[in-house]
Structure formats: C-alpha cells, structure tokens
Amino acid sequence: MENLPKKVRSKKLNTRVDLTAMVSVSFLLIIFFMVVGELSKPKIMDLSLPHNDDGRISCGPMREGENRSITVILDKNNRLIYYMGLLDSPIIAPKEIQYGKEGIRKELLSRKQNILGYSSRNLKPENIIVIIKPSKKSNFKNLVDILDEMAIAKIETYAIVPEFTPEEYKLLALK
C-alpha cells in the first residue's frame, strides 16, 4: 500500500465573470441612443407672418420690408453710399455720405425715428433693418466703423451681405 499513487485533487477555480467591460459598453450605448434621439427631433423655427386688421394671416403683396430697410454700401477710399428701399424704386435715392457723427450716424438715427411714418402698421423704431454690403475694394476698418455705428445707433437688426446686384455694381461704377 505504500506504492499506491496519491489521488490528485483538482483545484477548483473561481468562476467569477468580470462585468466591468459590459457596464462600460452599456453606458456607451445609453449615451449614444440619447444623443441620437435628441438630434433626430425636428427643429422648429417660429415664422412671423403679417396679420390683417381682422387678425388673419395675410400673404398678399405687402412690401413692409422695403419701407424699413436701409442698404449701406462700403467702397474703396472710405466711400459710403446708402439708400432706403429697393434700388429700382428707392424711398431715398442712393447718395454718398461720410462716416461719423454728422454722417451715417445722424442719418441712421433720423431714419430710425421716421420709420413709423413709412409703415402702415405700428412698428417700433427698433425694427429698422440695415443691410451692409462691403465691396471687395473696401477695407476692414470701414466694416468695423459701420458696425460701431450700428451699436451706437442701437440698431439690432442688420446683416452683412457680400453679394451685389447688377444695379449696385452700376451704382458703384457711376460715382
């Protein structure tokens, strides 16, 4: 009995599963689906349409925008040309004006005050729209100067538009 082989007992291994990676993957999936769900929601923008006196929405040929829009064209050599309305039938014909307190600022402030006279509805004077069109020959200082004038005159609605119409190109070539 001495030579009998000893019975070898197998060592029992711990059968624990590490779930750390599974938790990480599940959190990543949750975040992914939350972001996809948020991005797939339709985005809605309020659209302000003109109302008639009886409160109904009117989409007729109203031309309120030209009554309160001023276009400012910046050109080379500190030239500044402005007009009000549409260029083919302007409310104020295009004219050259200077920068500063006695130039464009005075004009913007007076137009802001007179906007109620041009409007068929009761618009606030803050509803003036200025379209700034810098030409390729204008310099950056002129653009900064006109943006400063917008801030000084407290005009909140303005746009910088680099495109010119053919009529505006003719206007720049004339003067």
Side-chain angles (χ1 to χ4, degrees):
M1 280 205 177
E2 290 178 13
N3 270 346
L4 285 172
K6 282 189 174 180
K7 197 173 194 186
V8 177
R9 289 210 164 171
S10 64
K11 196 177 190 185
K12 288 196 176 181
L13 296 173
N14 193 358
T15 57
R16 221 174 111 210
V17 177
D18 187 15
L19 295 177
T20 307
M22 184 71 82
V23 170
S24 297
V25 168
S26 63
F27 276 119
L28 285 173
L29 285 173
I30 289 170
I31 291 170
F32 172 76
F33 285 114
M34 286 174 59
V35 169
V36 167
E38 189 63 33
L39 292 177
S40 67
K41 289 180 183 175
K43 304 294 181 217
I44 298 172
M45 183 175 76
D46 289 333
L47 179 63
S48 298
L49 294 175
H51 291 275
N52 286 341
D53 292 334
D54 58 358
R56 294 182 306 154
I57 293 176
S58 169
C59 292
M62 292 185 70
R63 298 176 70 158
E64 288 292 332
E66 69 184 70
N67 289 337
R68 60 188 183 123
S69 69
I70 295 176
T71 303
V72 177
I73 300 174
L74 311 176
D75 200 16
K76 64 181 176 181
N77 299 330
N78 298 329
R79 278 185 54 204
L80 179 65
I81 301 170
Y82 91 99
Y83 62 90
M84 188 166 187
L86 299 174
L87 190 56
D88 56 352
S89 60
I91 295 169
I92 296 176
K95 61 181 171 180
E96 194 167 335
I97 195 166
Q98 298 298 316
Y99 290 92
K101 184 177 181 180
E102 292 301 318
I104 189 69
R105 185 182 316 161
K106 183 177 178 182
E107 199 64 37
L108 288 173
L109 290 172
S110 70
R111 294 297 154 217
K112 188 175 174 182
Q113 293 303 318
N114 293 338
I115 193 74
L116 292 175
Y118 292 121
S119 175
S120 63
R121 295 183 290 159
N122 289 331
L123 292 174
K124 297 178 186 172
E126 296 89 40
N127 286 342
I128 191 168
I129 301 167
V130 178
I131 301 167
I132 303 167
K133 294 189 171 190
S135 70
K136 291 182 181 178
K137 296 177 182 176
S138 68
N139 58 30
F140 188 70
K141 180 189 176 303
N142 294 140
L143 183 61
V144 171
D145 288 344
I146 198 68
L147 291 177
D148 287 341
E149 296 296 340
M150 296 297 119
I152 292 168
K154 293 186 173 98
I155 296 176
E156 297 175 1
T157 308
Y158 59 88
I160 301 172
V161 181
E163 291 91 19
F164 283 82
T165 62
E167 293 84 14
E168 289 169 335
Y169 280 120
K170 289 177 189 173
L171 177 69
L172 286 175
L174 287 177
K175 302 215 175 197

